[in-house]
Amino acid sequence: MAVDSGLVAADIDLFGLAQIVAQNAGGMVSIEDPQSHVLAYSASDEAADPMRVMSILGREGPREYLAVLRKWGVFDRLRQTDEVIDVPEHEELNIKRRLAVSVRHPADGAARAPRVLGTIWLQQGDREFKPDAAEILRGASAIAARLISRSLDAPSTEALLVQRLFGVGGPVDVATVATALNLPLTGPAAVVGFALTATETAPATEPSALGNMLRLRASSFRNDSVTATLGDRVYVLLPSYKAAHAVTAWTRQLVEQLETKRALALRAAIACPVPELGGVAAARREVDRVLDSTVATYPRGRVTTLADSRTAVLLGEILDLVGTRPELHDPRLRALSDYDRKHSASLRESVDIYLREHGDVRNAASALQVHPNTLRYRIRRVEEILRIDLTDPADRLLLEIQLALHRREHGR
């Protein structure tokens, strides 16, 4: 009978799994990582061969036997298939028969092959394997994959502290974090947030890969820097920086280097000074406000601060608010779109550019490539359809907000 992944206790570890497999399949079990390092094993008896003893004591397989397995193509087969492989005994090395199955992380998609996380080995003892040993190993492989993946994906204690410092995962004891990470509790610090911008030429990049790149470069800039990947953004804390202009210069240089050398389109926002370690979470929220607002303005404002981009930030947040409140959407703008659709006209675009050119008819007409009198006629039709007066500041302001919301929602 197979090891049923639904019946095995949720809190089992690899050692417990190894023992269950040994009891049900007959034999002695070891679980290894892709580099043949022993992760867990079941209890041994007198039938344990030298290979098993040496692997457990040295925490990795003996080189001579690993060479034999490579020669026999065992490792290649483990990488290529999830079937159970029967490895014969090797009398010269005094090594007994084994069954082996790879532990595989499920494929993330059709284009990506499953990742091998390790191997489960079952050494034969004084008795033959039980008839369903292969089926048991296949079930154990699925359970081991979840256990190993969970271990790999679970953040370390340090990573959890860093996440909480940046305001994710619950309350934080700042003094404890400062001691654990050897960070000063007070003194000017800077928080820099980075976000990828989707462009036609930018390669697809996982946030974790970007985080690793930025961690290396931040540590080179300041060896006491702290980096966290949260969602699709990466944040860097630079404690006790010497000068704000140096932080800005480093950030600009980094963004430019990654764009030139790796074709990555990055936006960055800087929050400084952060007077104390307890203010890091608030600084990260400030950085997020800026990054949210610079999506639409890229490449302008690739590296900026809240102070330098306050207009874009506040306008963006006003549009966010209006966008979530249907009662704040002016229904008259729909009439303008309906007119354009019915008459193959472009009144909405014309008034949009007219307002963005501050009511300068000649400049707006030039941008639209029409005669100024044509644009004047269009503006009069807009006023008639919407029943507004574009010489009235209130009407003009409201229409500009509604048109900006339309551009954001429809991309034009």
Side-chain angles (χ1 to χ4, degrees):
M1 142 176 168
V3 177
D4 188 337
S5 60
L7 297 179
V8 174
D11 59 351
I12 195 173
D13 61 10
L14 287 176
F15 281 91
L17 177 63
Q19 195 63 37
I20 290 174
V21 174
Q23 292 168 353
N24 285 271
M28 289 164 277
V29 174
S30 63
I31 303 175
E32 300 179 358
D33 70 10
Q35 289 74 45
S36 300
H37 299 142
V38 177
L39 301 174
Y41 50 88
S42 66
S44 297
D45 58 29
E46 292 136 357
D49 62 17
M51 160 71 174
R52 177 176 175 80
V53 174
M54 293 169 66
S55 296
I56 292 175
L57 292 178
R59 284 290 180 171
E60 62 181 344
R63 292 182 181 178
E64 298 86 353
Y65 186 59
L66 296 180
V68 170
L69 294 179
R70 290 190 191 93
K71 183 178 179 181
W72 287 350
V74 173
F75 289 124
D76 289 336
R77 292 171 63 193
L78 287 169
R79 281 191 293 269
Q80 295 164 4
T81 180
D82 58 1
E83 291 301 313
V84 175
I85 298 170
D86 195 330
V87 183
E89 65 178 348
H90 193 295
E91 292 185 3
E92 185 179 335
L93 293 176
N94 192 22
I95 292 173
K96 296 185 178 180
R97 177 190 173 203
R98 279 170 168 72
L99 297 181
V101 65
S102 61
V103 178
R104 307 165 80 82
H105 192 290
D108 294 332
R112 297 182 65 179
R115 180 162 54 105
V116 176
L117 301 175
T119 307
I120 301 177
W121 298 89
L122 178 65
Q123 185 222 302
Q124 184 174 300
D126 291 332
R127 300 178 181 178
E128 290 290 327
F129 297 127
K130 294 186 179 179
D132 57 355
E135 188 179 358
I136 289 171
L137 282 176
R138 281 194 291 271
S141 172
I143 299 170
R146 288 200 295 274
L147 293 174
I148 295 174
S149 296
R150 194 183 307 155
S151 174
L152 292 174
D153 295 340
S156 64
T157 301
E158 179 177 321
L160 288 172
L161 289 174
V162 170
Q163 288 178 10
R164 292 194 172 192
L165 180 63
F166 280 99
V168 175
V172 60
D173 184 332
V174 177
T176 299
V177 174
T179 301
L181 302 181
N182 195 27
L183 297 173
L185 274 169
T186 58
V191 172
V192 186
F194 296 88
L196 284 165
T197 301
T199 66
E200 293 181 359
T201 57
T205 304
E206 293 288 338
S208 59
L210 176 63
N212 291 335
M213 273 189 272
L214 294 176
R215 181 176 290 109
L216 289 171
R217 285 161 175 78
S219 296
S220 176
F221 177 60
R222 286 196 61 94
N223 58 17
D224 57 354
S225 64
V226 175
T227 305
T229 302
L230 304 174
D232 58 357
R233 291 177 178 173
V234 180
Y235 304 89
V236 176
L237 169 65
L238 300 170
S240 304
Y241 64 86
K242 300 288 184 186
H245 68 82
V247 173
T248 303
W250 171 76
T251 306
R252 289 188 189 282
Q253 183 182 43
L254 179 55
V255 168
E256 290 169 2
Q257 284 178 348
L258 291 179
E259 181 176 6
T260 302
K261 296 180 179 179
R262 296 182 179 266
L264 295 178
L266 279 181
R267 291 173 289 115
I270 303 168
C272 70
V274 181
E276 57 185 14
L277 204 58
V280 169
R284 181 193 143 236
R285 289 192 292 272
E286 178 180 315
V287 160
D288 280 339
R289 291 177 66 193
V290 177
L291 291 176
D292 289 341
S293 74
T294 55
V295 175
T297 62
Y298 182 86
R300 181 167 53 87
R302 286 187 304 174
V303 178
T304 187
T305 65
L306 178 58
D308 290 340
S309 57
R310 197 174 296 275
T311 297
V313 170
L314 294 178
L315 179 58
E317 291 175 351
I318 289 170
L319 293 178
D320 286 340
L321 176 62
V322 174
T324 59
R325 300 275 299 278
E327 69 273 19
L328 298 181
H329 296 193
D330 191 337
R332 293 176 295 182
L333 197 62
R334 190 177 304 114
L336 198 60
S337 297
D338 291 343
Y339 182 92
D340 280 346
R341 190 163 43 252
K342 183 177 180 181
H343 298 87
S344 298
S346 55
L347 295 186
R348 184 191 58 77
E349 180 189 17
S350 297
V351 71
D352 194 355
I353 291 179
Y354 170 78
L355 291 172
R356 289 160 77 178
E357 291 294 337
H358 312 292
D360 189 312
V361 172
R362 290 195 176 278
N363 286 346
S366 177
L368 290 163
Q369 297 182 330
V370 298
H371 193 279
N373 287 339
T374 301
L375 179 59
R376 291 188 180 96
Y377 168 76
R378 291 180 181 178
I379 297 303
R380 287 196 299 273
R381 289 294 293 136
V382 168
E383 290 178 315
E384 292 168 1
I385 293 169
L386 298 184
R387 298 180 182 180
I388 61 174
D389 178 4
L390 288 178
T391 63
D392 184 304
D395 279 348
R396 194 165 58 245
L397 175 60
L398 177 61
L399 182 55
E400 284 183 307
I401 291 174
Q402 297 294 320
L403 289 171
L405 183 62
H406 186 279
R407 285 197 304 273
R408 170 183 280 202
E409 293 179 345
H410 297 85
R412 55 187 177 84

